[in-house]
Amino acid sequence: MMVARSERLLTLLQTLRRYRRPVTGTVLAEETGVSLRTLYRDIASLQAQGAMIEGEAGIGYVLKPGFMLPPMMFSEEELEALVLGSRWVARAAEPRLANAGADALAKIAAVLPPDMRDMVDSATLFVGRKRQDEDKADVSAIRKAIRLERILELHYGDEQGRISRRRVWPFALGYFEHVRIIMAWCELRQDFRHFRTDRIIDMTIHDTRYPRRRTILLKEWRDTQDTPIEH
């Protein structure tokens, strides 16, 4: 079965993205299922469209970071995924992130060919109603603290209404159906803990950067699937 040229070019780009070092044309041709001659033509086409592919025949090719996919590279399912994701963010996230999701989808739609733009406008994938629980804490500030690896000091209320003060190292934020959860290292417990954002009474973001890298904390947390939520 003949594969559409746009789909073939997308497959080649995705294959190149998996390699951080130059990969030979022979390997690329085998992985993408085309002849070596076709591969060289496809690489030339992508380079003409602005893809930062470096290398040459006999040596190998590497895709430099930062190349944005041209709009014709989106498949129907990819567009549906973008629309569904944007609609879910609009329902589940705080206003600032929800607006960012809508803006991102609008930017994508603005540069799509007319037929693909119609697919975005008429997408029939929807999500449920907006969550009812309201956060007292500024969730956008929590996201910023995670990005900057800053210590958060929380006044946190449990199920019984007891309030404790916690200094935590936030490294991830989970958006669930009815609640948002901060994944963090708790200095009091000396262990990983989860904190519901709707139970944060108030919080302070310290200028102090916590002593371990976020990526390391995330990796270690993934090995502890039974981390308890602070009730």
Side-chain angles (χ1 to χ4, degrees):
M1 182 177 64
M2 294 294 293
V3 177
R5 181 171 177 272
S6 60
E7 184 177 343
R8 195 177 71 233
L9 294 179
L10 176 58
T11 299
L12 175 56
L13 272 176
Q14 292 173 330
T15 302
L16 280 165
R17 287 185 190 280
R18 294 201 301 267
Y19 292 94
R20 299 198 175 190
R21 298 179 181 276
V23 57
T24 65
T26 300
V27 171
L28 290 172
E30 289 177 354
E31 290 199 21
T32 56
V34 300
S35 68
L36 198 56
R37 183 177 179 181
T38 298
L39 175 84
Y40 291 147
R41 286 203 307 266
D42 288 349
I43 287 176
S45 296
L46 288 171
Q47 289 172 329
Q49 293 180 35
M52 295 179 287
I53 300 174
E54 295 185 346
E56 58 183 273
I59 297 177
Y61 299 91
V62 63
L63 178 65
K64 295 186 66 177
F67 174 62
M68 302 298 292
L69 291 178
M72 70 286 296
M73 288 298 187
F74 289 116
S75 68
E76 292 183 6
E77 288 187 343
E78 287 170 340
L79 284 176
E80 287 183 334
L82 288 171
V83 172
L84 184 62
S86 176
R87 289 174 176 173
W88 189 90
V89 169
R91 181 190 69 83
E94 70 277 10
R96 188 168 179 175
L97 193 60
N99 291 336
D103 290 345
L105 186 62
K107 288 178 181 178
I108 292 172
V111 297
L112 288 174
D115 58 332
M116 288 189 172
R117 193 177 308 128
D118 290 342
M119 288 172 53
V120 171
D121 294 336
S122 61
T124 56
L125 302 179
F126 298 96
V127 295
R129 293 182 356 182
K130 185 177 178 63
R131 64 191 289 272
Q132 298 301 314
D133 298 333
E134 295 297 330
D135 292 310
K136 300 181 182 69
D138 183 348
V139 180
S140 63
I142 295 172
R143 290 191 287 107
K144 183 177 180 181
I146 291 171
R147 288 196 303 270
L148 298 178
E149 301 181 349
R150 294 296 188 262
I151 292 175
L152 277 180
E153 187 167 340
L154 310 176
H155 281 94
Y156 190 79
D158 63 16
E159 286 180 314
Q160 286 73 40
R162 295 172 300 198
I163 299 173
S164 61
R165 182 190 296 264
R166 304 293 184 94
R167 278 172 54 97
V168 303
W169 309 348
F171 57 84
L173 184 62
Y175 287 78
F176 298 94
E177 188 63 26
H178 298 293
V179 69
R180 301 181 185 117
I181 302 290
I182 302 173
M183 292 73 163
W185 175 268
C186 178
E187 292 185 357
L188 176 65
R189 303 298 188 192
Q190 284 296 293
D191 201 354
F192 293 111
R193 286 293 186 270
H194 297 160
F195 297 89
R196 292 177 48 153
T197 57
D198 59 331
R199 291 182 179 164
I200 296 175
I201 298 169
D202 60 61
M203 68 179 190
T204 301
I205 301 176
H206 289 267
D207 292 333
T208 308
R209 182 173 180 171
Y210 50 72
R212 303 181 66 192
R213 297 309 305 267
R214 181 181 69 244
T215 52
I216 295 174
L217 291 172
L218 182 59
K219 182 179 183 300
E220 292 178 352
W221 169 80
R222 282 174 172 159
D223 295 331
T224 62
Q225 295 300 313
D226 58 347
T227 299
I229 295 176
E230 287 294 323
H231 295 290

